[in-house]
Amino acid sequence: MNKAILIGNLGKEVEVRKTSNDFAIANLNLATTERFKEKSKTEWHRVVVLGKLAELCGNSLKKGEQVYVEGRSKKTSWEKDGITRYSTEIVASTLLMLGAGMQLGINKVVLIGRLGTNPDIRYTQGGLPVAGLSIATNEKNGDGIETQWHRVIALGKLAEVCERYLKKGRQVCIEGRFQTRSYKKDGTTLTTTEVIATSMEMLGSKQDGKGSSEDHLAASDASENEYYADDIPF
């Protein structure tokens, strides 16, 4: 399962293009703003809309309007200056126009998949545990199966639970939010989009999928998500 829900405002006018067979593709630049106690954080999301829904977006949506988007996250890659770059976009399945002037913001993602590696746990300078997870989700795509890889970050007590119980191949359900950050690599500034986990549920058992007494829901402390910043130790 790979599901994203966003409610946010358009940062610029909708871009619509047509393929050679006249199929419409719209690109939306969507901002979601959430409050953490006394602070607010804005995340920008690239949303791709296809077909007749894309044509509707091009004819109806304007900069500043608020929309509800439901879809799935998809990672794309390209080469530039000899470096492989990645971006995460939301492929919309549902889009509702909410109008202008509203202040509601939602940034939510739900993943059900399996770990590709064991959790990698490190610590910030302030001692906060941070676990990095690599989650694979599988979805039907025509006659085949499409696999998407997602980078998930768990914080604090949730990170410690992940380190203790999760192993490569374990199936989990992750709920969280998208966060994009920049980092330096070989003198080049790159960006990455991660899922900051707010809860994790282990599905099946470690060995045979029959369940065990260890299977439970673990949630992060809201305060841990609040002061998580650019100090990620990965």
Side-chain angles (χ1 to χ4, degrees):
M1 180 179 180
N2 172 3
K3 184 175 183 179
I5 297 175
L6 305 173
I7 297 180
N9 295 85
L10 294 173
K12 61 181 181 179
E13 299 298 330
V14 177
E15 301 174 3
V16 181
R17 61 183 176 87
K18 296 285 187 74
T19 65
S20 58
N21 59 353
D22 206 37
F23 184 76
I25 301 175
N27 293 323
L28 281 60
N29 195 21
L30 192 67
T32 59
T33 301
E34 299 174 282
R35 292 193 62 84
F36 298 94
K37 292 186 178 180
E38 302 301 321
K39 301 178 181 178
S40 62
K41 183 174 180 59
T42 297
E43 291 288 338
W44 288 93
H45 312 270
R46 175 180 169 85
V47 179
V48 177
V49 189
L50 307 174
K52 293 182 179 179
L53 188 57
E55 296 177 355
L56 178 64
C57 290
N59 294 331
S60 305
L61 293 181
K62 301 296 181 184
K63 177 181 177 181
E65 289 194 87
Q66 188 167 73
V67 295
Y68 168 95
V69 173
E70 190 173 306
R72 61 185 179 89
S73 66
K74 182 176 182 180
K75 182 176 287 187
T76 60
S77 64
W78 71 98
E79 293 283 338
K80 183 178 180 182
D81 301 328
I83 298 175
T84 302
R85 299 169 187 264
Y86 299 92
S87 67
T88 298
E89 56 192 25
I90 308 303
V91 181
S93 57
T94 301
L95 188 146
L96 300 175
M97 293 170 278
L98 303 179
M102 298 183 69
Q103 299 299 318
L104 180 63
I106 292 179
N107 171 3
K108 182 176 182 179
V109 59
V110 179
L111 304 172
I112 296 179
R114 295 187 182 274
L115 273 76
T117 61
N118 292 337
D120 180 10
I121 191 163
R122 305 185 192 180
Y123 296 84
T124 66
Q125 292 181 352
L128 177 70
V130 180
L133 312 175
S134 183
I135 305 292
T137 59
N138 294 321
E139 298 175 272
K140 289 202 67 174
N141 186 2
D143 295 329
I145 298 293
E146 181 181 39
T147 299
Q148 288 287 328
W149 287 94
H150 312 267
R151 178 171 168 79
V152 177
I153 300 296
L155 309 170
K157 294 178 181 178
L158 182 56
E160 294 174 338
V161 170
C162 290
E163 181 192 31
R164 180 177 180 182
Y165 292 113
L166 298 186
K167 301 296 181 183
K168 179 180 177 180
R170 186 70 188 256
Q171 188 178 47
V172 295
C173 175
I174 298 287
E175 291 192 21
R177 60 184 174 86
F178 291 111
Q179 177 170 288
T180 300
R181 65 183 178 92
S182 299
Y183 64 97
K184 290 279 190 179
K185 182 178 181 180
D186 300 328
T188 301
T189 300
L190 303 174
T191 61
T192 183
T193 299
E194 302 152 333
V195 175
I196 307 302
T198 54
S199 68
M200 179 277 293
E201 184 174 4
M202 292 173 275
L203 306 177
S205 70
K206 295 183 293 184
Q207 301 281 330
D208 54 18
K210 296 181 180 179
S212 75
S213 60
E214 293 178 349
D215 295 346
H216 63 280
L217 180 70
S220 65
D221 189 311
S223 63
E224 293 168 345
N225 282 276
E226 179 195 354
Y227 63 74
Y228 173 71
D230 297 328
D231 190 27
I232 185 167
F234 294 93

